[in-house]
Amino acid sequence: MERQPAETGGQGVEAAGEWRQLRRLLQHADLPAVAEVRQVLREALRGWGVPGLADTAELLASELVTNALQHTDRGAVLTATLSPERRSRRLRVEVRDFVSRHPRLRAPGDQVTSGRGLLLVQALADAWGVRPEGTGKVVWFELSVDTA
């Protein structure tokens, strides 16, 4: 059975045993919050001793958060969790929103300025997916600490 980190209340960084978790509540259409998410995620990864994940994690988290804030009518919740396993440590970033419609991978044309976010997630993450969650969904990705 996989052990899960303790849930954080509100916003902030939590260290429960060896688990590390960051949680951010995001308001609908608050696109300036995307920059804050990048900064807080980078700081958390540095503090957790895995700064090599920061560039990729920031980029992919930005894509998921932006999608959630632009394409849903409510806010979202970002959760980043660093697992404690020494051999296969992984960073898992989840963005929960409150719309059940799943995102689609698209192949945008050369002249289109958007629609490439999930293609980036697919190309750069070690794993990613979407799962139903109550009245919405969670879009997630994982990065291996070993490949950082």
Side-chain angles (χ1 to χ4, degrees), residues 55-74:
D55 291 340
T56 303
E58 276 186 57
L59 173 64
L60 301 184
S62 294
E63 294 297 336
L64 297 188
V65 168
T66 300
N67 283 349
L69 297 180
Q70 283 185 328
H71 300 294
T72 66
D73 57 358
R74 290 180 52 194

Side-chain angles (χ1 to χ4, degrees), residues 102-106 115 118 128:
H102 285 213
R104 296 174 308 154
L105 278 172
R106 297 186 293 174
L118 287 180
W128 78 280

Side-chain angles (χ1 to χ4, degrees), residues 1-139:
M1 180 176 193
E2 183 178 84
R3 194 176 135 222
Q4 293 297 316
E7 185 77 17
T8 60
Q11 301 186 40
V13 176
E14 176 182 302
E18 291 188 49
W19 286 95
R20 303 291 187 252
Q21 187 172 78
L22 165 73
R23 182 177 166 102
R24 275 292 197 244
L25 307 176
L26 306 161
Q27 300 301 314
H28 169 65
D30 183 10
L31 294 180
V34 177
E36 290 176 32
V37 164
R38 286 193 303 264
Q39 178 183 354
V40 169
L41 183 57
R42 178 172 291 276
E43 290 170 5
L45 294 173
R46 187 178 318 123
W48 297 344
V50 290
L53 294 178
D55 291 340
T56 303
E58 276 186 57
L59 173 64
L60 301 184
S62 294
E63 294 297 336
L64 297 188
V65 168
T66 300
N67 283 349
L69 297 180
Q70 283 185 328
H71 300 294
T72 66
D73 57 358
R74 290 180 52 194
V77 179
L78 172 123
T79 306
T81 307
L82 182 65
S83 66
E85 293 85 20
R86 293 291 175 218
R87 279 193 213 163
S88 61
R89 286 178 85 192
R90 297 179 81 71
L91 172 69
R92 182 178 180 103
V93 175
E94 299 183 342
V95 177
R96 183 189 193 295
D97 65 41
F98 302 93
V99 174
S100 60
R101 183 181 65 251
H102 285 213
R104 296 174 308 154
L105 278 172
R106 297 186 293 174
D110 291 339
Q111 302 302 313
V112 177
T113 60
S114 66
R116 292 176 179 80
L118 287 180
L119 292 173
L120 286 170
V121 173
Q122 182 179 42
L124 298 175
D126 293 313
W128 78 280
V130 181
R131 75 170 191 273
E133 182 81 23
T135 60
K137 67 184 169 300
V138 171
V139 183

